Tab-separated table of all heavy atoms in Angstrom:
chain	number	residue	atom	x	y	z
A	491	SER	N	151.492	-45.006	-204.456
A	491	SER	CA	150.170	-45.613	-204.549
A	491	SER	C	150.188	-46.774	-205.540
A	491	SER	O	151.052	-46.846	-206.439
A	491	SER	CB	149.115	-44.588	-204.965
A	491	SER	OG	149.007	-43.568	-204.039
A	492	ASP	N	149.208	-47.670	-205.407
A	492	ASP	CA	149.137	-48.818	-206.322
A	492	ASP	C	148.670	-48.387	-207.699
A	492	ASP	O	149.050	-49.033	-208.715
A	492	ASP	CB	148.184	-49.868	-205.740
A	492	ASP	CG	148.730	-50.534	-204.474
A	492	ASP	OD1	149.953	-50.687	-204.385
A	492	ASP	OD2	147.949	-50.878	-203.581
A	493	THR	N	147.818	-47.356	-207.814
A	493	THR	CA	147.320	-46.879	-209.097
A	493	THR	C	147.249	-45.346	-209.079
A	493	THR	O	147.233	-44.747	-207.983
A	493	THR	CB	145.893	-47.415	-209.369
A	493	THR	OG1	144.999	-46.890	-208.411
A	493	THR	CG2	145.856	-48.942	-209.353
A	494	ALA	N	147.199	-44.763	-210.271
A	494	ALA	CA	147.072	-43.316	-210.358
A	494	ALA	C	145.761	-42.834	-209.742
A	494	ALA	O	145.714	-41.775	-209.098
A	494	ALA	CB	147.190	-42.865	-211.817
A	495	ALA	N	144.714	-43.593	-209.971
A	495	ALA	CA	143.398	-43.206	-209.396
A	495	ALA	C	143.447	-43.205	-207.893
A	495	ALA	O	142.895	-42.311	-207.215
A	495	ALA	CB	142.314	-44.181	-209.887
A	496	GLU	N	144.170	-44.172	-207.305
A	496	GLU	CA	144.274	-44.222	-205.842
A	496	GLU	C	145.098	-43.016	-205.342
A	496	GLU	O	144.784	-42.431	-204.315
A	496	GLU	CB	144.981	-45.513	-205.385
A	496	GLU	CG	145.058	-45.616	-203.878
A	496	GLU	CD	145.954	-46.808	-203.395
A	496	GLU	OE1	146.658	-47.413	-204.257
A	496	GLU	OE2	145.938	-47.052	-202.200
A	497	ALA	N	146.119	-42.628	-206.086
A	497	ALA	CA	146.924	-41.464	-205.698
A	497	ALA	C	146.066	-40.219	-205.639
A	497	ALA	O	146.145	-39.391	-204.694
A	497	ALA	CB	148.097	-41.274	-206.652
A	498	GLU	N	145.246	-40.018	-206.656
A	498	GLU	CA	144.369	-38.857	-206.703
A	498	GLU	C	143.364	-38.898	-205.549
A	498	GLU	O	143.037	-37.871	-204.927
A	498	GLU	CB	143.633	-38.759	-208.036
A	498	GLU	CG	144.551	-38.509	-209.217
A	498	GLU	CD	145.247	-37.150	-209.137
A	498	GLU	OE1	144.681	-36.219	-208.545
A	498	GLU	OE2	146.370	-37.025	-209.640
A	499	ARG	N	142.815	-40.097	-205.285
A	499	ARG	CA	141.861	-40.239	-204.193
A	499	ARG	C	142.503	-39.930	-202.830
A	499	ARG	O	141.920	-39.231	-201.994
A	499	ARG	CB	141.253	-41.628	-204.199
A	499	ARG	CG	140.122	-41.822	-203.169
A	499	ARG	CD	139.444	-43.162	-203.306
A	499	ARG	NE	140.316	-44.280	-203.014
A	499	ARG	CZ	140.834	-45.125	-203.872
A	499	ARG	NH1	140.576	-44.970	-205.164
A	499	ARG	NH2	141.607	-46.123	-203.506
A	500	ARG	N	143.715	-40.446	-202.648
A	500	ARG	CA	144.408	-40.178	-201.396
A	500	ARG	C	144.685	-38.684	-201.225
A	500	ARG	O	144.542	-38.144	-200.096
A	500	ARG	CB	145.731	-40.967	-201.357
A	500	ARG	CG	145.586	-42.486	-201.189
A	500	ARG	CD	146.918	-43.208	-201.352
A	500	ARG	NE	147.829	-42.962	-200.299
A	500	ARG	CZ	149.115	-43.361	-200.308
A	500	ARG	NH1	149.590	-43.986	-201.385
A	500	ARG	NH2	149.935	-43.085	-199.282
A	501	LEU	N	145.057	-38.027	-202.325
A	501	LEU	CA	145.344	-36.592	-202.237
A	501	LEU	C	144.059	-35.822	-201.872
A	501	LEU	O	144.131	-34.908	-201.031
A	501	LEU	CB	145.889	-36.082	-203.581
A	501	LEU	CG	146.243	-34.581	-203.600
A	501	LEU	CD1	147.331	-34.262	-202.591
A	501	LEU	CD2	146.688	-34.167	-205.014
A	502	LEU	N	142.959	-36.170	-202.453
A	502	LEU	CA	141.710	-35.478	-202.132
A	502	LEU	C	141.347	-35.683	-200.664
A	502	LEU	O	140.879	-34.760	-200.007
A	502	LEU	CB	140.588	-35.981	-203.045
A	502	LEU	CG	140.641	-35.526	-204.508
A	502	LEU	CD1	139.561	-36.233	-205.317
A	502	LEU	CD2	140.498	-34.035	-204.609
A	503	GLU	N	141.546	-36.911	-200.169
A	503	GLU	CA	141.216	-37.191	-198.756
A	503	GLU	C	142.114	-36.396	-197.810
A	503	GLU	O	141.650	-35.822	-196.825
A	503	GLU	CB	141.361	-38.689	-198.493
A	503	GLU	CG	140.291	-39.545	-199.147
A	503	GLU	CD	140.536	-41.055	-198.998
A	503	GLU	OE1	141.718	-41.395	-198.655
A	503	GLU	OE2	139.633	-41.845	-199.219
A	504	ILE	N	143.408	-36.350	-198.167
A	504	ILE	CA	144.357	-35.588	-197.306
A	504	ILE	C	143.996	-34.106	-197.341
A	504	ILE	O	143.980	-33.434	-196.276
A	504	ILE	CB	145.799	-35.827	-197.789
A	504	ILE	CG1	146.216	-37.274	-197.542
A	504	ILE	CG2	146.766	-34.868	-197.066
A	504	ILE	CD1	147.538	-37.648	-198.208
A	505	GLU	N	143.743	-33.554	-198.549
A	505	GLU	CA	143.380	-32.143	-198.653
A	505	GLU	C	142.106	-31.803	-197.910
A	505	GLU	O	141.981	-30.747	-197.277
A	505	GLU	CB	143.219	-31.774	-200.129
A	505	GLU	CG	144.544	-31.637	-200.877
A	505	GLU	CD	144.347	-31.072	-202.265
A	505	GLU	OE1	143.708	-31.750	-203.077
A	505	GLU	OE2	144.833	-29.978	-202.534
A	506	ASP	N	141.149	-32.759	-197.917
A	506	ASP	CA	139.888	-32.534	-197.185
A	506	ASP	C	140.183	-32.397	-195.688
A	506	ASP	O	139.645	-31.517	-195.015
A	506	ASP	CB	138.950	-33.690	-197.466
A	506	ASP	CG	137.619	-33.545	-196.694
A	506	ASP	OD1	136.966	-32.518	-196.901
A	506	ASP	OD2	137.290	-34.449	-195.908
A	507	VAL	N	141.037	-33.317	-195.156
A	507	VAL	CA	141.381	-33.223	-193.748
A	507	VAL	C	142.119	-31.922	-193.416
A	507	VAL	O	141.849	-31.236	-192.417
A	507	VAL	CB	142.206	-34.456	-193.317
A	507	VAL	CG1	142.748	-34.292	-191.887
A	507	VAL	CG2	141.383	-35.743	-193.420
A	508	VAL	N	143.085	-31.571	-194.276
A	508	VAL	CA	143.888	-30.343	-194.041
A	508	VAL	C	143.027	-29.080	-194.122
A	508	VAL	O	143.080	-28.221	-193.257
A	508	VAL	CB	145.042	-30.286	-195.049
A	508	VAL	CG1	145.751	-28.927	-194.953
A	508	VAL	CG2	146.059	-31.414	-194.759
Side-chain angles (χ1 to χ4, degrees):
S491 297
D492 292 326
T493 64
E496 183 190 10
E498 294 297 330
R499 186 173 66 252
R500 289 172 69 188
L501 180 62
L502 288 174
E503 291 173 342
I504 293 170
E505 286 187 295
D506 179 57
V507 171
V508 171

